[in-house]
Amino acid sequence: MEEIIALAKRRGFIYQGSEIYGGLAGTWDYGHLGLALKNNIKNTWWKRFVLDRDDMYGVDAAILMNQNVWKASGHVAGFFDPLVDDVKTNKRYRADHLLLEAGVDIKGMSLKEMDVVIKEKGVKSPEGNALGDVRQFKMMFTTHVGANQDEDSVSYLRPETAQGMFVNFKNTLDSFHPKLPFGMAQIGKAFRNEIAPRDFIFRTREFEQMEIEYFVNPNSWEESFEHFRQQVHAFADDVGLTPSKIHDVEIAPEDLAHYSKRTIDFEFDFPMGQKELYGLAYRTDFDLKSHSDASGTDLSFFDEETKERFIPHCIEPSLGVDRTVLAVLTDAYSEDEVGGEKRVYLKLSPKIAPVLIAVSPLLKNKPQLVEKAREVYSILKKEFPGRIMFDDNGNIGKRYRRQDEIGTPYCITVDFDTVEKDQTMTLRYRDSATQDRLSIEQIIDSVKKAI
Ligand code: GAP
């Protein structure tokens, strides 16, 4: 993980948030290449889950919402983490994490039971000190909207994008008149005041989610649940994750979130262990029903075929963007030896690599090579918008090393044969570090097949 954090900073993927002021815990800033990687991941998700289907409707809801949304959703009353203090240092920890680290099975444990076990077993803080009482810690960030700072002006930074879809369910019905089943899709920021942000971008206080709320007839929820289980795996394949590193974990009934009747966590083999990457939940009619009751707006659906009116049930695949970035980076990180020298490279899928092709002149002080390389660069830029880099920094060996480190799958070098002989150029493959001599048309064809 240390190597990956260092590479991410050195090469302009991810920096500590507010770094020049000493940072702000649980926040990270994406640089030019990290942003490109993130955008490619989000576009891949949007393509699979929205553009390639006929049953999805996109939404981009406001992050700030009426406080009643969060009362109806159950978050105001129940979105807490179990908190415990080190009595000497006053440092705060997640009680469930400390118990897990102490080898205790915490399945279905209440706050009170955690407190009892910590005391009985004498579980200590990581500094070796005694722990205080386990209590609830509110995870939503609270703010006030407008000039007044009273109960009525309270709002929250959303802890999930999902509610932005439930509150727009009726708008979507009225605008598009979809038949069941249909889904709503959203990509956006979510915020949680995590007690212990940790493991780089794995657990942060500000992150992005890619969520679908898929509305179904309650009789057929299992079919859609299975469909989205497969779609989540297909998406993981799209972004190049190693299938054997993903594990479907059925959540025990006593550990389900308040809205869920069934949940599968997709766990991934991260460097710090097997941890949750994504979730898939059967949210029943919990949310639409709660919002119907609380807002007084009828959120039922009339099925023209069966002439039945009912509140649809909901299947929710929920995917974290930042966890995808971390999984992809840790899976892609590779070391080998090329020409007797140690090499670090990111084996990123060509579908999401921030730079798809880097174009270089063999020598940067030969105008005819630079001019030709610029011409090749312009042609490729039109074919693969936003994914081509012109690189004439340092010698060719250093350029390859740098491109390997940022995961560029292809490097093209324009040399004297290109301009003086046959217009062909070298295409170098990142993973094998081997080269072919090809025309630009052949290169475009072969790269198009890979993305
Ligand atoms: N709407 C359902 C929901 O939000 P969740 O399991 O709490 O469910 C879904 O979150 C996904 O969001 C997780 O699987 C993970 O990918 C991502 N996620 C949750 N908390 C996160 C955090 N603190 N930092 C980064 N990603 C997070």
Side-chain angles (χ1 to χ4, degrees), residues 86 88-93 124-131:
D86 175 316
K88 246 196 186 156
T89 65
N90 291 328
K91 273 196 186 166
R92 296 174 150 188
Y93 297 98
K124 297 265 188 300
S125 75
E127 283 88 8
N129 300 320
L131 295 165

Side-chain angles (χ1 to χ4, degrees), residues 334-350:
S334 313
E335 291 178 0
D336 67 0
E337 236 180 54
V338 173
E341 267 182 49
K342 185 188 152 194
R343 171 177 82 135
V344 169
Y345 65 108
L346 292 182
K347 220 172 173 172
L348 293 172
S349 156

Side-chain angles (χ1 to χ4, degrees), residues 13 16 23 44 55 86 97 140 159 188-189 244 303 307-308 337 378 393 421:
F13 282 84
Q16 168 76 63
T44 303
D55 58 352
D86 175 316
H97 288 173
M140 280 202 293
K189 289 266 183 170
S244 61
D303 190 325
K307 306 290 177 210
E308 274 179 298
E337 236 180 54
S378 300
N393 267 328
K421 230 167 118 189

Side-chain angles (χ1 to χ4, degrees), residues 80-105:
F80 297 104
D81 262 349
L83 171 81
V84 70
D85 291 313
D86 175 316
V87 293
K88 246 196 186 156
T89 65
N90 291 328
K91 273 196 186 166
R92 296 174 150 188
Y93 297 98
R94 286 259 306 252
D96 52 340
H97 288 173
L98 294 183
L99 283 165
L100 276 174
E101 278 156 23
V104 178
D105 181 7

